[in-house]
Amino acid sequence: MAEEETVTSLKSEIATLRGRVNELEAENAELAARMANCCCDQKGTQQLGESEVECRSSLEPNGERNSGGAETKKTRRKKRVAEISSYDSRTVSHCPRRYVALKVMYFGPRFYGFASEAQMEPTVESEIFKALEKTRLLVTNKKEAQYSRCGRTDKGVSAVGQVIALFLRSKLRHLNSNTSDSRENFVDGQNGTEEEIDYVRVLNRALPQDIRIFGWCPVPVDFHARFSCLGRGYKYLFWSGTLDLQAMETAGKKFVGEHDYRNFCKMDAANVHNYVRRIDSFEISPSDLRFQGNQLFAIKIKGSAFLWHQVRCIVAVLFMVGEGLESPDVVDTLLDTSRTTRKPQYAMASEIPLILSSCDFEGLKFTCSSGT
């Protein structure tokens, strides 16, 4: 008798579970239908904040209805981590997109360089892409987004003028979301920027404090952040101390022009075969900042492109000149690769005071959020 009751009870539970499975399948089908029909410019999404997906329906990212109940900080944190780790760009791939350039500044000491190809984490680039995924601005993977960067700064180097370019989600419906070989996504001049997503404010909410986006600009799809760049500028900050600034200025002027800089860089024979680069300007400028009798100065160098560690090697030699260990003529000797066929051994200048100060492009006018 007891066995029959047990069997009956189990059959009842199985029937209940089957009914629940059917209900869940129906709910899942309803959710899929809502996601397929969601609108990228719903007015209600403004209430959720622009940092959330404008393509979302009234459901939470985990597919459950928002009951409005209280959540612990731990629960919310777990949800955010789950959202980022499980990000799938296909959920927003149907949204309009446009090709944009972003101007980036960052304080470098915490990062293992800019590029995410570095063997260590974090890098500036990896943090930017985490923010792009968190804000659902990334509509495809990095390759299909036609991602490019102007330069690859090394570990510890900072920047106030780095530029990257890629396809981002847009709320302008007239843009062709699938084009990658025309100029349809480039709105002439600044037309359309007022109605567009505030990329600066949205991304800065998701980025760490030592990385800031401070401008964006629509660009044609044939734009490339590296190869479209007309010139780059670097600053190297230092305290004057007892350095002979006049001798350093004399030596620095010798770099202006086109030269072979193989004795002023870290050799990368596997990837670089031409070491000729052009430096357009050089100057040593004072600042108003003083400390214990020392004044802060900046070495400013502008050129078309730079080799690996080129600026730090140049500064190291200039410091030797300023300390009286070498004469300004040492620059001529090292630039003459027929006389100096092998790079002498000398320590590079520290990376911490080095700043990528500018990346120059023709016709780009970056828009910054008024709220940042």
PDB file of all heavy atoms in Angstrom, residues 11-24:
ATOM      1  N   LYS A  11       4.365  10.223  -9.579  1.00  0.00           N
ATOM      2  CA  LYS A  11       3.706  10.535 -10.842  1.00  0.00           C
ATOM      3  C   LYS A  11       3.125  11.945 -10.804  1.00  0.00           C
ATOM      4  O   LYS A  11       3.176  12.695 -11.788  1.00  0.00           O
ATOM      5  CB  LYS A  11       2.605   9.519 -11.130  1.00  0.00           C
ATOM      6  CG  LYS A  11       3.109   8.155 -11.563  1.00  0.00           C
ATOM      7  CD  LYS A  11       1.950   7.219 -11.868  1.00  0.00           C
ATOM      8  CE  LYS A  11       2.443   5.868 -12.348  1.00  0.00           C
ATOM      9  NZ  LYS A  11       1.322   4.939 -12.661  1.00  0.00           N
ATOM     10  N   SER A  12       2.574  12.305  -9.650  1.00  0.00           N
ATOM     11  CA  SER A  12       2.009  13.650  -9.507  1.00  0.00           C
ATOM     12  C   SER A  12       3.084  14.727  -9.630  1.00  0.00           C
ATOM     13  O   SER A  12       2.907  15.762 -10.289  1.00  0.00           O
ATOM     14  CB  SER A  12       1.293  13.761  -8.154  1.00  0.00           C
ATOM     15  OG  SER A  12       0.799  15.075  -7.962  1.00  0.00           O
ATOM     16  N   GLU A  13       4.235  14.460  -8.983  1.00  0.00           N
ATOM     17  CA  GLU A  13       5.332  15.429  -9.057  1.00  0.00           C
ATOM     18  C   GLU A  13       5.858  15.553 -10.485  1.00  0.00           C
ATOM     19  O   GLU A  13       6.191  16.642 -10.959  1.00  0.00           O
ATOM     20  CB  GLU A  13       6.459  15.002  -8.114  1.00  0.00           C
ATOM     21  CG  GLU A  13       6.108  15.155  -6.646  1.00  0.00           C
ATOM     22  CD  GLU A  13       7.259  14.777  -5.730  1.00  0.00           C
ATOM     23  OE1 GLU A  13       8.359  14.519  -6.268  1.00  0.00           O
ATOM     24  OE2 GLU A  13       7.069  14.721  -4.512  1.00  0.00           O
ATOM     25  N   ILE A  14       5.957  14.420 -11.189  1.00  0.00           N
ATOM     26  CA  ILE A  14       6.437  14.445 -12.575  1.00  0.00           C
ATOM     27  C   ILE A  14       5.487  15.258 -13.445  1.00  0.00           C
ATOM     28  O   ILE A  14       5.912  16.059 -14.287  1.00  0.00           O
ATOM     29  CB  ILE A  14       6.580  13.004 -13.119  1.00  0.00           C
ATOM     30  CG1 ILE A  14       7.753  12.305 -12.418  1.00  0.00           C
ATOM     31  CG2 ILE A  14       6.774  13.019 -14.628  1.00  0.00           C
ATOM     32  CD1 ILE A  14       7.859  10.832 -12.747  1.00  0.00           C
ATOM     33  N   ALA A  15       4.199  15.070 -13.244  1.00  0.00           N
ATOM     34  CA  ALA A  15       3.214  15.825 -14.022  1.00  0.00           C
ATOM     35  C   ALA A  15       3.352  17.317 -13.750  1.00  0.00           C
ATOM     36  O   ALA A  15       3.258  18.155 -14.660  1.00  0.00           O
ATOM     37  CB  ALA A  15       1.811  15.340 -13.687  1.00  0.00           C
ATOM     38  N   THR A  16       3.566  17.654 -12.466  1.00  0.00           N
ATOM     39  CA  THR A  16       3.741  19.067 -12.100  1.00  0.00           C
ATOM     40  C   THR A  16       4.979  19.649 -12.767  1.00  0.00           C
ATOM     41  O   THR A  16       4.970  20.771 -13.297  1.00  0.00           O
ATOM     42  CB  THR A  16       3.859  19.207 -10.576  1.00  0.00           C
ATOM     43  OG1 THR A  16       2.688  18.674  -9.956  1.00  0.00           O
ATOM     44  CG2 THR A  16       4.018  20.662 -10.171  1.00  0.00           C
ATOM     45  N   LEU A  17       6.098  18.881 -12.756  1.00  0.00           N
ATOM     46  CA  LEU A  17       7.340  19.344 -13.377  1.00  0.00           C
ATOM     47  C   LEU A  17       7.170  19.523 -14.882  1.00  0.00           C
ATOM     48  O   LEU A  17       7.683  20.485 -15.466  1.00  0.00           O
ATOM     49  CB  LEU A  17       8.470  18.353 -13.089  1.00  0.00           C
ATOM     50  CG  LEU A  17       8.968  18.316 -11.633  1.00  0.00           C
ATOM     51  CD1 LEU A  17       9.981  17.184 -11.443  1.00  0.00           C
ATOM     52  CD2 LEU A  17       9.623  19.658 -11.274  1.00  0.00           C
ATOM     53  N   ARG A  18       6.454  18.597 -15.528  1.00  0.00           N
ATOM     54  CA  ARG A  18       6.233  18.730 -16.968  1.00  0.00           C
ATOM     55  C   ARG A  18       5.438  19.988 -17.279  1.00  0.00           C
ATOM     56  O   ARG A  18       5.714  20.719 -18.244  1.00  0.00           O
ATOM     57  CB  ARG A  18       5.485  17.500 -17.483  1.00  0.00           C
ATOM     58  CG  ARG A  18       6.366  16.272 -17.630  1.00  0.00           C
ATOM     59  CD  ARG A  18       5.557  15.080 -18.070  1.00  0.00           C
ATOM     60  NE  ARG A  18       6.407  13.902 -18.288  1.00  0.00           N
ATOM     61  CZ  ARG A  18       5.944  12.677 -18.521  1.00  0.00           C
ATOM     62  NH1 ARG A  18       4.625  12.483 -18.557  1.00  0.00           N
ATOM     63  NH2 ARG A  18       6.783  11.674 -18.722  1.00  0.00           N
ATOM     64  N   GLY A  19       4.457  20.259 -16.429  1.00  0.00           N
ATOM     65  CA  GLY A  19       3.677  21.475 -16.630  1.00  0.00           C
ATOM     66  C   GLY A  19       4.531  22.719 -16.479  1.00  0.00           C
ATOM     67  O   GLY A  19       4.400  23.687 -17.249  1.00  0.00           O
ATOM     68  N   ARG A  20       5.433  22.689 -15.486  1.00  0.00           N
ATOM     69  CA  ARG A  20       6.322  23.841 -15.280  1.00  0.00           C
ATOM     70  C   ARG A  20       7.285  24.031 -16.449  1.00  0.00           C
ATOM     71  O   ARG A  20       7.564  25.156 -16.867  1.00  0.00           O
ATOM     72  CB  ARG A  20       7.113  23.650 -13.978  1.00  0.00           C
ATOM     73  CG  ARG A  20       8.041  24.820 -13.628  1.00  0.00           C
ATOM     74  CD  ARG A  20       7.291  26.113 -13.580  1.00  0.00           C
ATOM     75  NE  ARG A  20       8.177  27.232 -13.287  1.00  0.00           N
ATOM     76  CZ  ARG A  20       7.930  28.494 -13.598  1.00  0.00           C
ATOM     77  NH1 ARG A  20       6.788  28.799 -14.230  1.00  0.00           N
ATOM     78  NH2 ARG A  20       8.780  29.437 -13.285  1.00  0.00           N
ATOM     79  N   VAL A  21       7.794  22.908 -16.988  1.00  0.00           N
ATOM     80  CA  VAL A  21       8.685  22.976 -18.152  1.00  0.00           C
ATOM     81  C   VAL A  21       7.967  23.627 -19.332  1.00  0.00           C
ATOM     82  O   VAL A  21       8.512  24.472 -20.041  1.00  0.00           O
ATOM     83  CB  VAL A  21       9.204  21.570 -18.525  1.00  0.00           C
ATOM     84  CG1 VAL A  21       9.873  21.595 -19.900  1.00  0.00           C
ATOM     85  CG2 VAL A  21      10.178  21.064 -17.476  1.00  0.00           C
ATOM     86  N   ASN A  22       6.736  23.230 -19.561  1.00  0.00           N
ATOM     87  CA  ASN A  22       5.946  23.822 -20.646  1.00  0.00           C
ATOM     88  C   ASN A  22       5.765  25.324 -20.441  1.00  0.00           C
ATOM     89  O   ASN A  22       5.834  26.115 -21.385  1.00  0.00           O
ATOM     90  CB  ASN A  22       4.589  23.125 -20.751  1.00  0.00           C
ATOM     91  CG  ASN A  22       4.700  21.697 -21.233  1.00  0.00           C
ATOM     92  OD1 ASN A  22       5.658  21.346 -21.914  1.00  0.00           O
ATOM     93  ND2 ASN A  22       3.734  20.858 -20.873  1.00  0.00           N
ATOM     94  N   GLU A  23       5.519  25.727 -19.179  1.00  0.00           N
ATOM     95  CA  GLU A  23       5.374  27.159 -18.890  1.00  0.00           C
ATOM     96  C   GLU A  23       6.670  27.917 -19.185  1.00  0.00           C
ATOM     97  O   GLU A  23       6.649  29.012 -19.763  1.00  0.00           O
ATOM     98  CB  GLU A  23       4.989  27.349 -17.420  1.00  0.00           C
ATOM     99  CG  GLU A  23       3.572  26.881 -17.084  1.00  0.00           C
ATOM    100  CD  GLU A  23       3.285  27.021 -15.602  1.00  0.00           C
ATOM    101  OE1 GLU A  23       4.160  27.528 -14.859  1.00  0.00           O
ATOM    102  OE2 GLU A  23       2.179  26.636 -15.172  1.00  0.00           O
ATOM    103  N   LEU A  24       7.805  27.336 -18.770  1.00  0.00           N
ATOM    104  CA  LEU A  24       9.099  27.988 -19.009  1.00  0.00           C
ATOM    105  C   LEU A  24       9.402  28.099 -20.492  1.00  0.00           C
ATOM    106  O   LEU A  24       9.955  29.100 -20.967  1.00  0.00           O
ATOM    107  CB  LEU A  24      10.215  27.215 -18.295  1.00  0.00           C
ATOM    108  CG  LEU A  24      10.207  27.279 -16.760  1.00  0.00           C
ATOM    109  CD1 LEU A  24      11.280  26.362 -16.188  1.00  0.00           C
ATOM    110  CD2 LEU A  24      10.423  28.712 -16.288  1.00  0.00           C
TER     111      LEU A  24
END
